[in-house]
Amino acid sequence: MKRFLKRNAISPALLILNLALSITYFICIVAFFPIGNEFLFSLLVIGEIFHLWQVIGYIHVVWPKTRVRAFNESYKPEVGIFITACGEPREVIEETVQAALAIDYQRFSVYILNDGYVANRSNWKEAEQIAKAYGVTCITRQQPGGAKAGNINNALRVTKEPFVVIFDADHVPKPIFLREMMGYFIDKKVAYVQSPQYYKNHDENMVTGGAWDQQALFFGAIMLGKDDTNTAFMCGTNMVLRRSALIEAGGMSEQSIAEDFLTSLLIHENGGKSVYVGKVLAEGLAPEDFLSYYKQQFRWARGSLEVVFKYNPIFRKGLTFSQRLQYLASASFYMTGVVVVINALLPLVFLYTGLEPIAISTMNLALIFIPYIIVVLYTLQLTSNFSFTFRALSFSLSSFPIHLKAIGQILIGRKSGFVVTSKKKLSGNYAYLVMPHLVYIALVCIGITVGLFREGFSASVITNISWSFIYVAIFMPFINAAFEKEKNVAGQEVAA
């Protein structure tokens, strides 16, 4: 078993202590510490409310609980395997087709869902050639619309199997894939079964490593916890769906660029059950360059935030309390960028102006903050089997420009198309993508001079310099990944 999928025994007492310290810290900030500048204090409170919300959501998902799920290994209905393709290199599609044909299962058909023609890919005919060579069916879409979701819906109209598997073209299944997945459908209410995404190229470079480090926490502790409360959602690939449940939900949703996330919500709303299998049953590719990573993260952020603004789970009928909480927690994660900006700017504001949100000594603040943050970080590490890395934290918090862009586009009503993610390393200068971080570092350097000139090495100056240095340290792995030397290789854009 992969390290990130191993579950440690979690004491409810630890989680209660975590929540108690988080609430205590919040109350002290809001009610007991003297207020400095009222506007800055308001911003600080907004940030702390969001932090408390994240703690509550995480405690809820990792709280020890047991879910009894029926599984019958002899249940082996007919399956259609959909391999979604959109101009990927021939060898990428071919490897996945070969692996799909080698799956240890009796009744299945393999389909290449070829969107290369409607996406104007020059190599779109290669998918048809591969299908002919391996004796599988290629469904080449002639009418565009709906991006990946439209491609899947088109295939649903021309196939008949009661269950469908969806693989992205770069996700190569293992022979045991269907044997580990199909038995859960003995429960007629199970609508889909999801398995982890695992990036086999995670050691390739800084970008693939950072992308995987982020995914490890999600596909480990978070999705395992969601499964316990019937709140696991589809993740685009490595999943099996019951055709009738998908059709009842209106097919794969074409209303969002995160079609899997929204469709999961609609299926749960209809009373469908979900299962998450905590085993790596297929291996895929992480984006290998910084621009591709940026585009992928933006698509996930934009699509997830649309759920908050357009399909808010709080007001959806048919969802359980846990489903409402977990969908909102997952979608609102991409609002982290707003809070990162607030927290990173507060020490800068002090260095330049002397204004601060709360007027309290460093020692008194440390007495309440240090126990709180130690317990929070320990809980995070314990629940992730100590697989959560500083690089994962860096990539998550440093993605604030992506989050802000996604929020801004939603607020102004700007449409955003489905942008496929490159699986070949692209060459280029990506400094512009980390310009906000570089500007921040420059402002910190200048601000230190201003602060020291104004009041010397006072406790407040030292404290705010320290906070600003923490954010500089957090941003550095992200910046380094943007400047990592790229090979001059022509990339092909493929679905992720």
Side-chain angles (χ1 to χ4, degrees):
M1 177 181 290
K2 299 291 184 182
R3 178 181 176 185
F4 73 99
L5 289 169
K6 183 179 178 181
R7 305 184 80 168
N8 291 320
I10 306 299
S11 168
L14 174 63
L15 299 179
I16 292 172
L17 175 63
N18 194 311
L19 181 61
L21 288 175
S22 299
I23 293 174
T24 300
Y25 178 70
F26 176 76
I27 292 175
C28 287
I29 290 287
V30 173
F32 293 105
F33 293 165
I35 298 175
N37 179 272
E38 291 187 357
F39 176 72
L40 296 180
F41 177 75
S42 298
L43 293 179
L44 178 64
V45 170
I46 291 172
E48 295 306 327
I49 290 174
F50 186 78
H51 289 152
L52 184 57
W53 159 245
Q54 287 187 308
V55 168
I56 292 172
Y58 193 74
I59 289 176
H60 178 268
V61 83
V62 300
W63 187 271
K65 44 197 171 296
T66 302
R67 177 187 178 191
V68 178
R69 297 172 301 180
F71 183 87
N72 187 338
E73 63 180 10
S74 65
Y75 184 69
K76 298 179 179 180
E78 188 176 6
V79 174
I81 298 177
F82 290 179
I83 300 172
T84 58
C86 188
E88 292 84 351
R90 184 187 187 102
E91 62 273 14
V92 171
I93 302 174
E94 198 164 16
E95 183 182 10
T96 303
V97 170
Q98 290 174 339
L101 289 171
I103 290 177
D104 183 14
Y105 197 79
Q106 294 177 343
R107 303 169 60 198
F108 70 93
S109 301
V110 176
Y111 303 90
I112 301 176
L113 277 52
N114 182 17
D115 241 11
Y117 176 79
V118 296
N120 296 316
R121 298 291 191 263
S122 60
N123 65 338
W124 68 270
K125 290 186 178 180
E126 289 184 352
E128 296 184 341
Q129 295 167 0
I130 293 170
K132 184 176 181 180
Y134 287 93
V136 303
T137 302
C138 183
I139 303 173
T140 300
R141 194 155 62 125
Q142 303 296 314
Q143 297 297 324
K148 180 181 176 180
N151 193 14
I152 294 170
N153 289 335
N154 178 68
L156 287 172
R157 288 190 286 268
V158 297
T159 57
K160 60 180 177 57
E161 292 84 359
F163 295 91
V164 295
V165 178
I166 297 177
F167 292 123
D168 283 349
D170 63 294
H171 282 261
V172 180
K174 297 184 178 182
I176 61 172
F177 183 88
L178 288 176
R179 286 195 283 113
E180 295 286 348
M181 302 282 275
M182 294 308 301
Y184 292 103
F185 288 103
I186 193 69
D187 182 345
K188 301 301 181 183
K189 290 187 177 181
V190 170
Y192 59 87
V193 179
Q194 176 72 55
S195 67
Q197 290 186 32
Y198 179 76
Y199 295 154
K200 60 185 176 184
N201 63 336
H202 61 86
D203 288 330
E204 181 74 18
N205 56 38
M206 296 180 191
V207 174
T208 61
W212 168 245
D213 286 354
Q214 286 181 281
Q215 293 287 75
L217 177 64
F218 174 74
F219 283 110
I222 292 175
M223 281 293 279
L224 289 169
K226 286 181 182 293
D227 181 56
D228 291 335
T229 54
N230 190 35
T231 59
F233 52 81
M234 293 185 289
C235 301
T237 184
N238 309 344
M239 58 190 184
V240 187
L241 299 90
R242 189 186 297 271
R243 178 187 291 265
S244 59
L246 182 57
I247 297 301
E248 184 181 353
M252 196 65 70
S253 176
E254 300 181 21
Q255 309 305 313
S256 170
I257 58 176
E259 77 293 331
D260 44 8
F261 189 55
L262 179 55
T263 304
S264 301
L265 185 149
L266 298 176
I267 288 175
H268 276 140
E269 189 176 41
N270 285 341
K273 292 182 180 179
S274 59
V275 172
Y276 178 69
V277 177
K279 300 178 182 179
V280 174
L281 302 176
E283 297 185 357
L285 298 174
E288 295 186 352
D289 64 272
F290 200 75
L291 179 60
S292 299
Y293 169 84
Y294 189 99
K295 289 180 178 179
Q296 183 187 68
Q297 292 294 313
F298 174 76
R299 176 161 58 83
W300 291 350
R302 173 66 192 264
S304 297
L305 285 170
E306 282 180 339
V307 170
V308 175
F309 289 95
K310 296 183 179 181
Y311 306 92
N312 196 305
I314 297 299
F315 306 108
R316 306 291 297 188
K317 297 180 179 179
L319 298 178
T320 66
F321 170 79
S322 291
Q323 288 169 342
R324 295 177 196 275
L325 189 153
Q326 285 303 317
Y327 272 106
L328 189 60
S330 294
S332 63
F333 165 78
Y334 293 101
M335 299 183 76
T336 300
V338 176
V339 180
V340 171
V341 170
I342 290 174
N343 290 340
L345 288 181
L346 285 176
L348 275 186
V349 171
F350 174 82
L351 291 176
Y352 280 91
T353 67
L355 298 176
E356 51 190 357
I358 52 177
I360 185 173
S361 70
T362 302
M363 185 61 68
N364 288 337
L365 180 60
L367 287 174
I368 189 67
F369 176 77
I370 291 178
Y372 151 72
I373 198 63
I374 288 176
V375 172
V376 168
L377 292 177
Y378 176 71
T379 302
L380 184 61
Q381 287 290 6
L382 184 62
T383 54
S384 66
N385 194 28
F386 298 92
S387 63
F388 187 72
T389 66
F390 182 75
R391 184 168 58 182
L393 177 69
S394 171
F395 272 58
S396 296
L397 298 187
S398 299
S399 294
F400 69 86
I402 302 174
H403 301 168
L404 295 181
K405 179 181 177 181
I407 294 170
Q409 286 196 3
I410 292 175
L411 291 178
I412 65 175
R414 181 178 176 181
K415 293 184 178 181
S416 180
F418 187 100
V419 179
V420 292
T421 306
S422 174
K423 289 299 186 292
K424 292 289 186 179
K425 186 184 289 185
L426 306 178
S427 61
N429 184 346
Y430 303 127
Y432 68 98
L433 295 176
V434 292
M435 192 56 64
H437 311 80
L438 297 175
V439 170
Y440 180 82
I441 293 174
L443 290 174
V444 167
C445 294
I446 298 171
I448 291 173
T449 303
V450 174
L452 290 175
F453 181 80
R454 185 182 63 248
E455 54 188 88
F457 286 95
S458 67
S460 295
V461 168
I462 294 174
T463 299
N464 283 279
I465 289 176
S466 300
W467 276 115
S468 63
F469 278 178
I470 288 174
Y471 277 94
V472 170
I474 288 172
F475 295 157
M476 285 309 300
F478 196 72
I479 295 171
N480 290 337
F483 283 96
E484 187 175 19
K485 186 178 180 180
E486 303 289 349
K487 296 178 182 178
N488 187 20
V489 178
Q492 297 288 335
E493 289 194 337
V494 299

